[in-house]
Amino acid sequence: MFSTQIRDVDDFNPRRRRTLWNTPAASMLTTTTHTIRYPTSRKGHASAHQLSAKFEDLYGFMVEGNVDDVNVLNDVREKIREQGRVWWAVEASKGANWYLQPRISSNGGEGVISVTSLKLSVLTNTITLRRLIRKGVPPVLRPKVWLSVSGAAKKRSTVPETYYDELIRATEGKTTPATLQIDHDLPRTFPCHPWLNSEDGQAALRRVLVGYSFRDSEVGYCQGLNYVAALLLLVMKTEEDAFWMLAVLLENVLVNDCYTDNLSGCHVEQRVFKDLLAKKCPRIAAHLEAMGFDVSLVATEWFLCLFSKTLPSETTLRVWDVLFNEGAKVLFHVALAIFKMREEDLLRIQHIGDVIDILQTTAHHLYDPDEFLTFAFDKIGSMTTNTITKERKKQETVVMAELDQRIRRLSSLKMDG
Amino acid sequence: MAANAGNKIRNAKLVLLGDVGAGKSSLVLRFVKGQFVEFQESTIGAAFFSQTLAVNDETVKFEIWDTAGQERYHSLAPMYYRGAAAAIVVYDITNPASFTRAKKWVQELQAQGNPSTVVALAGNKADLLETRKVQIEEAKTYAQENRLFFMETSAKTAINVNDIFYEIAKRLLQGQPAQNPQAGMVLTQRPNERLVSASSCCS
Ligand SMILES: Nc1nc2c(ncn2[C@@H]2O[C@H](COP(=O)(O)OP(=O)(O)OP(=O)(O)O)[C@@H](O)[C@H]2O)c(=O)[nH]1
Ligand SMILES: [Mg+2]
């Protein structure tokens, strides 16, 4: 069944494909490429648990972990296959492109239909899709599903077919502060990934990032986007699709101005996050506050890289599945969950360094996306996009005033100096 | 981690500031793990490390914040330098713009930070002598004028990397009664060892 699906995906806009990440999707899902083989039984080899192994994860990243991690990843591969069968079964009953139909969008974005024309089938499709996506989009279907549910396909359909190629042509031979910074960062973007470490991979990443910096000169290039775009390339397989996902992410999915100029959007998200932590995990928030630990110290990177530098790749992409379908509120769920999972340990800790160690170690080892996402949704409790929008509005004014004051202080410094 | 018996441990927050690609992360990696990688991932927001150092019979536990260098991350910096006992402002000796940026950081620290913060200036990539653009005299003069202590470092060859951290530790401990003023600072035998053992102390 996978082979049929792969052919489908390969047939998807072959003309406009520029570069392909060459690891075939099928082998990605079926082979385990450990550098060392370890006992597959979880019990019996107690000492093996402590052994650290270097292995390739589902998206080709070289990671370090222990035997349990390897086993969990194998289970995850199996679950992905099962989840794939569920998706094909739904396809068989609803038709191949059932999720490309209009739907009720929780993003309030593209493809929204009015309540008066609401048909029962649309409603059930929306619900089914949401449930399925929360359980994970099979890697081979991700490009198609993401383009559709995020609104990226719609965005692309509003411009001529040649838009991306022309954009890239227009950037050729041009040097800007953004291109200089991008060139500096290309070899520094997930150098542990073989394709991203190759000439082809870096050339593709460069075109996507440079292309976007010309599309939106206000964003230009912000460090952090390199990691996001790199992971998008690995998932979407074609540069152009990765480009459109980046566009929809920055222009529609995430908070405004997350990556522009002084990162004001990022400051807003951090404040919203702090408020949510105080509401949802009051004990942790109070304890950290008493220690003088500002949660933004760790959470800034989470929100700017959308967890791509924090969580294992498949777990990150499961978060992105929900991100593209339901919006940025999932980022708060995930960030809160990382704290909440270790509540008791965090409450015992007295040193800032230990807090960071715990959070980082926990996040790096979240190889089981199902367990983690279930926790993130069930244990954190519901939040609506509306509440978050309201909360952002409130914080925006504060952030703007703060940044303004800072700029004035700094410019007065320069006058003195 | 077993602390040396009878040894006072002093926690010290240390922040690294400087232009993008100056080598902040590389300096920290060299100091904390004794490693150098050709392509160090760019830092987003900041990264945290800790490392313990023995100076005479006292121990300093550095809590190190390695910040991101891109200009737009500037607005996040106060969160990291607030309350810092020490700061290392890093520039790249082959890149004059990074030296200009370093001066701006020094100025900001002097105006916004704590006046008792120990500030060090590191001219990094000192192994790249053929492509040097910032003269050592110029940096030295600037450092003297601004009461910073200054070293040229190389995260690649490890030159002066441990030294700059030891010098900071020493200065942090100054003002406290020195019990054994003759003994010099003791370098870690193996840089990836987190704690200097008591036996290597005061030898
Ligand atoms: N030759 C030489 N190269 C160095 C040295 N220190 C760092 N580099 C290289 O310079 C590049 C940037 O180093 P980083 O340590 O990532 O710089 P950074 O200041 O942390 O950069 P950002 O995190 O982007 O702000 C890397 O490719 C390093 O390998 C050095 O002492 N000598
Ligand atoms: Mg860095």
Side-chain angles (χ1 to χ4, degrees), chain A residues 103-105 111-123:
Chain A
R103 61 202 185 89
I104 310 156
S105 165
V112 188
I113 53 159
S114 74
V115 183
T116 43
S117 66
L118 189 69
K119 276 198 242 126
L120 195 61
S121 65
V122 174
L123 185 65

Short mmCIF file of all heavy atoms in Angstrom, two decimals, chain A residues 103-105 111-123:
data_model
loop_
_atom_site.label_atom_id
_atom_site.label_comp_id
_atom_site.label_asym_id
_atom_site.label_seq_id
_atom_site.Cartn_x
_atom_site.Cartn_y
_atom_site.Cartn_z
N ARG A 103 -13.62 22.85 4.47
CA ARG A 103 -13.84 22.36 5.82
C ARG A 103 -13.98 23.53 6.76
O ARG A 103 -13.70 24.68 6.40
CB ARG A 103 -12.66 21.46 6.24
CG ARG A 103 -11.41 22.24 6.23
CD ARG A 103 -10.16 21.44 6.11
NE ARG A 103 -9.08 22.41 6.26
CZ ARG A 103 -8.54 22.76 7.39
NH1 ARG A 103 -8.94 22.21 8.50
NH2 ARG A 103 -7.62 23.68 7.43
N ILE A 104 -14.34 23.24 7.96
CA ILE A 104 -14.44 24.30 8.95
C ILE A 104 -13.06 24.47 9.55
O ILE A 104 -12.48 23.53 10.08
CB ILE A 104 -15.43 23.92 10.06
CG1 ILE A 104 -16.74 23.46 9.43
CG2 ILE A 104 -15.66 25.07 11.01
CD1 ILE A 104 -17.52 22.56 10.33
N SER A 105 -12.54 25.65 9.40
CA SER A 105 -11.17 25.84 9.81
C SER A 105 -11.09 26.42 11.21
O SER A 105 -11.72 27.43 11.51
CB SER A 105 -10.46 26.77 8.84
OG SER A 105 -9.27 27.22 9.41
N GLY A 111 -10.32 28.64 3.15
CA GLY A 111 -11.16 27.47 2.98
C GLY A 111 -12.31 27.39 3.97
O GLY A 111 -12.92 26.35 4.13
N VAL A 112 -12.60 28.49 4.63
CA VAL A 112 -13.68 28.46 5.61
C VAL A 112 -15.01 28.54 4.87
O VAL A 112 -15.15 29.28 3.91
CB VAL A 112 -13.57 29.67 6.55
CG1 VAL A 112 -14.58 29.54 7.69
CG2 VAL A 112 -12.18 29.78 7.10
N ILE A 113 -15.96 27.80 5.33
CA ILE A 113 -17.27 27.91 4.71
C ILE A 113 -18.24 28.48 5.72
O ILE A 113 -18.04 28.35 6.93
CB ILE A 113 -17.77 26.53 4.20
CG1 ILE A 113 -17.70 25.52 5.35
CG2 ILE A 113 -16.95 26.05 3.02
CD1 ILE A 113 -18.60 24.36 5.13
N SER A 114 -19.25 29.12 5.23
CA SER A 114 -20.15 29.78 6.17
C SER A 114 -21.08 28.74 6.81
O SER A 114 -21.34 27.69 6.24
CB SER A 114 -20.98 30.83 5.44
OG SER A 114 -21.94 30.19 4.65
N VAL A 115 -21.57 29.09 7.97
CA VAL A 115 -22.35 28.14 8.75
C VAL A 115 -23.65 27.78 8.02
O VAL A 115 -24.11 26.64 8.10
CB VAL A 115 -22.67 28.73 10.14
CG1 VAL A 115 -23.43 27.72 10.99
CG2 VAL A 115 -21.39 29.14 10.84
N THR A 116 -24.17 28.73 7.26
CA THR A 116 -25.44 28.45 6.57
C THR A 116 -25.29 27.35 5.53
O THR A 116 -26.21 26.57 5.31
CB THR A 116 -25.98 29.72 5.88
OG1 THR A 116 -24.89 30.37 5.24
CG2 THR A 116 -26.64 30.65 6.87
N SER A 117 -24.11 27.28 4.91
CA SER A 117 -23.94 26.25 3.89
C SER A 117 -23.33 24.98 4.48
O SER A 117 -22.92 24.08 3.76
CB SER A 117 -23.06 26.77 2.76
OG SER A 117 -21.76 27.00 3.25
N LEU A 118 -23.27 24.99 5.79
CA LEU A 118 -22.66 23.86 6.46
C LEU A 118 -23.40 22.56 6.18
O LEU A 118 -24.59 22.44 6.42
CB LEU A 118 -22.67 24.14 7.97
CG LEU A 118 -21.88 23.18 8.84
CD1 LEU A 118 -20.39 23.37 8.59
CD2 LEU A 118 -22.19 23.43 10.30
N LYS A 119 -22.67 21.63 5.65
CA LYS A 119 -23.29 20.33 5.40
C LYS A 119 -22.76 19.34 6.42
O LYS A 119 -21.63 19.45 6.88
CB LYS A 119 -22.97 19.86 3.99
CG LYS A 119 -23.91 20.45 2.95
CD LYS A 119 -23.86 19.62 1.68
CE LYS A 119 -23.36 20.44 0.51
NZ LYS A 119 -22.28 19.97 -0.24
N LEU A 120 -23.58 18.39 6.70
CA LEU A 120 -23.19 17.41 7.70
C LEU A 120 -21.89 16.70 7.32
O LEU A 120 -21.01 16.49 8.13
CB LEU A 120 -24.33 16.40 7.90
CG LEU A 120 -24.18 15.56 9.17
CD1 LEU A 120 -24.20 16.44 10.40
CD2 LEU A 120 -25.28 14.51 9.24
N SER A 121 -21.76 16.41 6.01
CA SER A 121 -20.57 15.68 5.57
C SER A 121 -19.31 16.50 5.82
O SER A 121 -18.26 15.96 6.17
CB SER A 121 -20.69 15.32 4.10
OG SER A 121 -20.69 16.51 3.33
N VAL A 122 -19.44 17.81 5.64
CA VAL A 122 -18.28 18.67 5.86
C VAL A 122 -17.89 18.64 7.33
O VAL A 122 -16.72 18.53 7.69
CB VAL A 122 -18.59 20.13 5.42
CG1 VAL A 122 -17.45 21.05 5.80
CG2 VAL A 122 -18.86 20.17 3.93
N LEU A 123 -18.92 18.72 8.16
CA LEU A 123 -18.68 18.70 9.59
C LEU A 123 -18.00 17.39 10.01
O LEU A 123 -17.00 17.40 10.73
CB LEU A 123 -20.01 18.88 10.34
CG LEU A 123 -19.90 18.99 11.85
CD1 LEU A 123 -19.15 20.25 12.24
CD2 LEU A 123 -21.28 19.00 12.48
#
